[in-house]
Amino acid sequence: RKLLLFLLLTLPVAHTTNTQQEAGNKTFAKLFPDCHAIKRADHSATDGVYNISTGSGNISVWCNMTGLDGTGWTLIAVRQHGLAPIQATGVVKNTSMGHVLPDAHWQAMKGNFRHENYTVAIAIGTGDPDTTLLFPLVDPLMSAGCMPLADSLTSTTLAHAEDTGCNASGGDFCMWGNNASNASVNYVHGSCSGNKSFHLKVCQPESGGLKCRNNMHGPFEPTTTWVYVKYVPKHPDCGPHDETVLKGAARCQCDGRSGKCDMNCLMGVWERLSSPQCRGC
């Protein structure tokens, strides 16, 4: 008995993974790259703190699993009027006003933004359930001519592009960060055009997801912004992206098309409710 007890006490303890820690419903043999991947693997996952792998290390993040379009978003920053953002020493939670991911963690995540197997979206919660701001593709922010997507989430300006010049005037600019004339005010503006456009959208809850109006200009100055990232896997059976509706997490049953209307597709792309892949669902 003593020998058995000794062996039990000295056995190595298995490291729990993302969903095992929080939801307790499933056990996975790996860490996932973001909250969306966790939600795809465990549809019952709930809001809370999870471990993810950035590729260069493991970090703990707050996952919004039930809000927005219900498909799992990774919180990276909570920026607020009048508070200079600071790098968090712990987890950036939905109550962590003025805190953002440490630069090293943010830069590690950014390193995955142009991965061949993903597209990346950034959603900005405003505290108003009827107004979620959305950058459906991160590429225009990464290549913004005046200031590409910043390496620090404490930066006054996070991304800036213009049709002509870089002086944030004249109505032909896209900017995310703080107001150029008042650095304490959150600011999102999206009126640049062509290949410089940030494709800013405004989304409201609808049909279990979010319905988004295309190419909104703003400016928007929400008192608090909760900034989320989602890696969207490229899936050959899901068809082209449609940026009108971010489909929610409810399973969709399609006559004779269930293989192309599965959870991975619905949670991975912007899908019209009347699309060929999922018509009538």
Side-chain angles (χ1 to χ4, degrees):
R1 289 183 181 178
K2 290 182 178 180
L3 177 59
L4 177 61
L5 178 61
F6 173 79
L7 290 173
L8 289 174
L9 290 175
T10 55
L11 284 173
V13 178
H15 292 286
T16 56
T17 58
N18 327 56
T19 48
Q20 187 183 21
Q21 284 182 340
E22 190 65 24
N25 294 324
K26 296 183 180 179
T27 300
F28 299 98
K30 65 176 183 178
L31 293 178
F32 292 97
D34 76 333
C35 300
H36 178 59
I38 298 172
K39 185 73 172 184
R40 290 175 66 233
D42 183 355
H43 306 151
S44 63
T46 57
D47 299 349
V49 177
Y50 293 79
N51 294 328
I52 64 171
S53 174
T54 64
S56 60
N58 301 332
I59 63 174
S60 296
V61 295
W62 176 267
C63 291
N64 185 340
M65 298 298 202
T66 59
L68 300 173
D69 63 336
T71 63
W73 292 77
T74 306
L75 183 64
I76 60 172
V78 184
R79 292 170 59 117
Q80 189 171 36
H81 280 355
L83 289 179
I86 60 174
Q87 298 180 53
T89 56
V91 178
V92 178
K93 297 183 179 181
N94 58 340
T95 55
S96 302
M97 299 303 171
H99 288 76
V100 304
L101 281 185
D103 290 351
H105 294 171
W106 168 236
Q107 289 165 25
M109 291 188 72
K110 273 185 65 185
N112 295 320
F113 279 6
R114 283 182 168 151
H115 194 285
E116 62 181 2
N117 294 328
Y118 298 99
T119 57
V120 178
I122 292 178
I124 302 174
T126 64
D128 179 352
D130 290 329
T131 306
T132 297
L133 304 178
L134 177 72
F135 298 122
L137 295 172
V138 78
D139 287 356
L141 282 70
M142 296 281 283
S143 58
C146 298
M147 180 174 174
L149 188 60
D151 284 335
S152 176
L153 291 168
T154 64
S155 297
T156 300
T157 302
L158 295 173
H160 177 197
E162 294 199 29
D163 291 348
T164 304
C166 287
N167 57 9
S169 64
D172 65 344
F173 66 95
C174 293
M175 181 176 286
W176 172 34
N178 295 99
N179 192 312
S181 61
N182 185 349
S184 68
V185 175
N186 290 317
Y187 190 77
V188 184
H189 192 269
S191 63
C192 52
S193 60
N195 60 5
K196 297 182 180 181
S197 175
F198 286 178
H199 305 289
L200 176 65
K201 302 179 187 304
V202 179
C203 309
Q204 295 86 30
E206 181 173 303
S207 303
L210 294 176
K211 182 176 178 62
C212 301
R213 290 178 288 162
N214 290 335
N215 301 330
M216 304 303 293
H217 291 170
F220 300 93
E221 295 184 345
T223 301
T224 306
T225 57
W226 290 262
V227 184
Y228 300 93
V229 165
K230 179 166 76 171
Y231 300 159
V232 183
K234 296 176 182 177
H235 194 298
D237 289 334
C238 293
H241 283 201
D242 186 294
E243 297 165 1
T244 302
V245 175
L246 283 79
K247 184 64 178 169
R251 183 174 292 279
C252 184
Q253 300 296 329
C254 294
D255 293 338
R257 283 183 283 269
S258 60
K260 289 192 176 183
C261 197
D262 64 17
M263 181 63 70
N264 290 343
C265 285
L266 291 177
M267 295 180 68
V269 302
W270 294 272
E271 186 78 50
R272 282 190 189 278
L273 296 178
S274 58
S275 72
Q277 286 87 4
C278 208
R279 192 178 302 281
C281 294

